Amino acid sequence: SQGCVDHPIVLTEAVCNPLYSRQMMSELLFECYQVPKVSYGVDSLYSFYHSRRQSWPCSGLVISSGYQCTHILPVLEGRLDAKNCKRINLGGCQAAVYLQRLLQLKYPGHFAAITLSRMEEILHEHSYIAEDYTEELQKWRCPEYYENNVHKMQLPFSNKLLGSTVASEEKQEKRQQQLLLLQELNARRREEKLQLDQERLDRLLYVQELLEDGQMDQFHKALVELNMDSAEELQSYINKLSLSVEQTKQKILQSEVNIEVDVVDSKPEVGYRNGFNRALEDVESINEFEPLFAEEQPEVEKPVAAVQPVFNLAEYHQLFLGTERIRAPEIVFQPSLIGEDQAGIAETMQYVLERYSKEQQALLVQNVFLTGGNTMYPGLKARIQKELLEMRPFQSSFQVHLASSPVLDAWYGARDWAVEYTNREEGWITRKDYEEKGGEYLKEHCASNVYVPIRLPKPAPRAAEASAPSRASGTGNPSEQA
């Protein structure tokens, strides 16, 4: 419409919404959009109203778990008992962040691909609530159970290998540069090893000279420092080190002679690259470098064939979802998993029920209602039933119901209420009410919060009124009268 919104508005708000927030929203709707009337309600109560409309008013315990938080709302005779509402600051957002942290630690190579939006998708499609969390973890220890229940998620990847279209001359030049770099690294490692072996050999020869000179005390003290027992063991170490030093010197001389190394171009590049990377990682074992420096006769150049990967790149870009499937949604029952000092759903539900009499408790548990997007995990209803079975008295009855559409039932309930109450005054705040009672004013209805008006402090009595009896008697002090 032009210039204003000429129809009523039904708006949802948080449970026990602060008056200041409602005041700002009412001011916006009435002053800016010129709405004729507005009604405020709680989304989870609209959902409860939608599912129990035929038997309204009724009592029940609403468990609403959304994106940011979880609420436990007791409803008695169709009205919210706001004094005993409880909130847990955990929901779908915290579960997605926890799952993202778990998988990024498990797959550091795919850190950037494990995004928050992808984790929310995994939560919706792969996660479930364990009826008994400890027992379920024990099942995952079995390899057969793991293979049958693990879910694999494929990350996007490119199957095109780098350098597959490079000319053979460029490949040959690149290989030679890599081999020269490898030769330099190999020579430097050998020189360092030769220096360390030579220093140790000099130390051992010095100790042997002490034995030959007859300085037995110093000789035995030196043996203790070297962790050796006898002169024969010392001589054995000297022989081994001398042989190692000679071999290292010969290899250094031999590597200086081998100046250029040719690699046959017909070998697959991926196989060569894997061997090169593996050699760089294991630099302690010099023997692995030796085959790369052998002289090879160049062969006739052959046409470059298509590069075949040694391993399946698709399998490398897969996420294996095992215990993460139950660990992420479990935080609403055990907030301590992510370091939160809060009570879970079961403890909070028991705390709320204990604030009522036994008759009211029995009435509430006959209608435990689950709603909200974070209640769509498979197994949540069975978990709530198990928790209630543990906390309720022996042979007592209870019923747990899940919303037919946990995400959309709040909208359907608000629609049903708006259609039913359009021509009634109950629950609607008009512009006259706004101007007379303020923006924080709320008209209660079956799915609304409880209105608690602002209590302003009583004004102090005026000084003139307090001093009136003194003036009447004529005996008051003029300064006190002033």
Side-chain angles (χ1 to χ4, degrees), residues 128 130-140 145 326:
Y128 67 98
E131 186 172 348
D132 190 318
Y133 181 69
T134 305
E135 182 180 344
E136 191 73 15
L137 286 181
Q138 294 297 328
K139 291 181 181 179
W140 279 98
Y145 184 87
I326 61 174

Side-chain angles (χ1 to χ4, degrees), residues 350-368:
Q350 184 176 8
Y351 177 79
V352 171
L353 289 174
E354 288 177 351
R355 300 177 70 88
Y356 294 95
S357 63
K358 293 182 179 181
E359 293 76 13
Q360 290 177 323
Q361 289 184 26
L363 189 64
L364 289 174
V365 297
Q366 290 302 319
N367 200 359
V368 179

Side-chain angles (χ1 to χ4, degrees), residues 422-446:
T422 299
N423 298 322
R424 303 184 190 180
E425 294 184 0
E426 181 183 356
W428 293 104
I429 306 170
T430 62
R431 184 174 182 86
K432 182 179 179 181
D433 295 329
Y434 164 74
E435 293 175 348
E436 179 181 351
K437 301 178 181 179
E440 72 278 359
Y441 178 66
L442 172 70
K443 277 190 178 180
E444 297 181 11
H445 57 88
C446 59

Side-chain angles (χ1 to χ4, degrees), residues 391-411:
M391 72 177 67
R392 296 300 298 157
F394 179 63
Q395 291 186 343
S396 63
S397 62
F398 56 84
Q399 293 184 7
V400 180
H401 305 280
L402 179 64
S404 56
S405 177
V407 177
L408 297 177
D409 271 9
W411 190 90

Side-chain angles (χ1 to χ4, degrees), residues 112-127:
I114 303 175
T115 60
L116 190 60
S117 59
R118 189 165 285 143
M119 295 305 100
E120 293 175 358
E121 179 183 353
I122 290 177
L123 277 176
H124 296 157
E125 297 181 2
H126 302 279
S127 296

